[in-house]
Amino acid sequence: ETHRAHTKMLRTMSKHGFHVVTPLLESLGMSKRLGTTTVYLKMENSQPTGSFKIRGVGYMCQNIANVSKPAGVICSSGGNAGMATAYAARKLNLPATIVLPSVTPNLVAQKLKDQGATVKVAGKVWDDANAEALRLAETEGLTVIHSFNHPLVWKGHASIVHELKASLPSKPGAIVLTVGGGGLFCGVMEGLDEVGWAGVPVLCMETVGADCFNAAVKAGDLVTLPDITSKATSLGSKTAIQQAFEYSKRSTVISEVVTDLQALEAIELFLDEERVLVEMACGAALAAVYSGVIQRLQEEGRLPKPLGPLVMIVCGGGGINRALLQHLQTVIRK
């Protein structure tokens, strides 16, 4: 009965957005590393735009288009939210403008243009691009699509948990995800509450130099980083969102940070073991297993041992190709 209800809910959700129900794959390599724990990969990289962002951003775009016919939409993004906005706007026949920080890889800008979006570059980090997007929205009468700080975005991302509920054999032992500004995290927390899994531990991963969420957890208040120094540029928000900080106060939430090198090594191992290329932001989450974070948390008693099914949200690979991987290998290992 519950399964039927969830399947119905999933059908309804997919009508209210442009995302697909992504595969949930068992990872033998990762499971072996953890011993008694089965690791499942939620393959968000297989979304039409290459990342989970299409869930929330697509849902928001569709809601806006249903309520009013905007002159156009604008989104500031390190890449993935921009791709989702451009894709949804094209499907809805809306003009889209995407404002990128200068650190965004060229391949992302080209993909956005291929989707029919107007691309502008402003400032070095996402916060600069966002200020320019807000200015353009005002002067050109465009509707702002926030890449992570909006209830409609969180609602769209919550669909991930509904899919997990419909396909996992039992309640997860923990969920691992990457935090940039906190949109995915807020969506997952909302989804866990909705399906009755509020007690499931959520491990939030970031890289050193793009760790605004971890800084806030440590300080007990929101913190603005002086700069983004990590090569995981799509995590590049200098401040986490308030809602993410509120959720961080729950005892089920754990925040951990890995180095760029650990994230890069995770990408390489994942490519070897699973034959899938993902970006640095995703590598941060995968490093939870590959760099022994899960194992350490179990030893510290912060995660149970044995641990039930571990879900890794493979957030995306839209912003990487072989040339960029080689570049990252050169600059991070220099």
Side-chain angles (χ1 to χ4, degrees):
E1 194 54 49
T2 316
H3 182 78
R4 239 199 328 268
H6 277 288
T7 310
K8 190 179 172 193
M9 189 178 282
L10 294 181
R11 262 194 230 109
T12 314
M13 283 183 163
S14 54
K15 279 184 204 151
H16 293 299
F18 300 103
H19 67 272
V20 299
V21 175
T22 51
L24 184 70
L25 309 175
E26 191 179 329
S27 168
L28 290 175
M30 283 194 177
S31 302
K32 195 171 153 187
R33 277 183 167 80
L34 293 185
T36 57
T37 301
T38 306
V39 177
Y40 289 94
L41 306 170
K42 186 61 171 153
M43 302 297 280
E44 289 301 292
N45 59 303
S46 61
Q47 289 292 357
T49 58
S51 95
F52 74 94
K53 289 279 190 183
I54 191 61
R55 291 179 184 272
V57 169
Y59 186 69
M60 184 175 179
C61 288
Q62 193 147 39
N63 271 269
I64 284 167
N66 286 345
V67 173
S68 61
K69 188 75 178 163
V73 291
I74 188 163
C75 176
S76 53
S77 164
N80 286 318
M83 275 301 294
T85 303
Y87 179 86
R90 182 168 63 81
K91 295 284 185 187
L92 293 163
N93 293 317
L94 291 173
T97 302
I98 312 299
V99 187
L100 302 171
S102 61
V103 291
T104 307
N106 288 334
L107 86 116
V108 173
Q110 190 52 55
K111 280 184 175 181
L112 289 165
K113 288 171 186 168
D114 292 345
Q115 288 284 358
T118 301
V119 176
K120 294 184 186 295
V121 178
K124 178 176 174 272
V125 296
W126 173 82
D127 304 72
D128 304 333
N130 191 47
E132 175 63 7
L134 295 175
R135 189 190 70 76
L136 285 169
E138 196 66 39
T139 56
E140 297 180 19
L142 304 172
T143 301
V144 175
I145 303 296
H146 199 291
S147 48
F148 51 86
N149 194 9
H150 197 283
L152 287 173
V153 171
W154 309 332
K155 180 77 183 160
H157 293 337
S159 59
I160 288 183
V161 184
H162 289 273
E163 288 174 25
L164 292 174
K165 177 86 172 184
S167 51
L168 269 177
S170 63
K171 189 166 81 166
I175 294 176
V176 181
L177 51 80
T178 302
V179 174
L184 173 61
F185 170 57
C186 288
V188 166
M189 295 302 283
E190 193 173 302
L192 289 172
D193 287 348
E194 286 168 359
V195 304
W197 282 354
V200 170
V202 177
L203 174 55
C204 299
M205 301 294 296
E206 293 169 285
T207 48
V208 175
D211 48 353
C212 62
F213 181 72
N214 185 262
V217 169
K218 282 182 176 162
D221 203 356
L222 287 176
V223 170
T224 299
L225 300 177
D227 195 11
I228 300 296
T229 54
S230 168
K231 297 297 175 199
T233 53
S234 60
L235 296 182
S237 169
K238 291 200 286 189
T239 318
I241 54 178
Q242 185 67 42
Q243 185 59 50
F245 178 64
E246 293 309 320
Y247 279 131
S248 78
K249 296 172 186 173
R250 293 193 186 180
S251 62
T252 52
V253 175
I254 303 170
S255 168
E256 291 285 333
V257 178
V258 291
T259 63
D260 273 3
L261 179 59
Q262 287 172 313
L264 174 65
E265 286 170 344
I267 290 175
E268 293 166 335
L269 280 164
F270 196 69
L271 181 56
D272 282 347
E273 290 188 359
E274 308 296 338
R275 300 158 308 285
V276 174
L277 179 60
V278 293
E279 56 197 66
M280 283 284 286
C282 191
L286 301 174
V289 169
Y290 289 135
S291 291
V293 176
I294 298 284
Q295 298 90 318
R296 174 172 58 74
L297 290 169
Q298 286 182 304
E299 280 158 23
E300 290 171 0
R302 293 169 69 199
L303 278 178
K305 195 173 186 174
L307 188 64
L310 180 70
V311 175
M312 312 287 294
I313 297 181
V314 182
C315 56
I320 194 163
N321 59 13
R322 202 174 46 177
L324 184 56
L325 175 62
Q326 286 167 344
H327 171 70
L328 288 167
Q329 288 166 329
T330 307
V331 296
I332 291 171
R333 287 209 169 91
K334 70 169 186 262

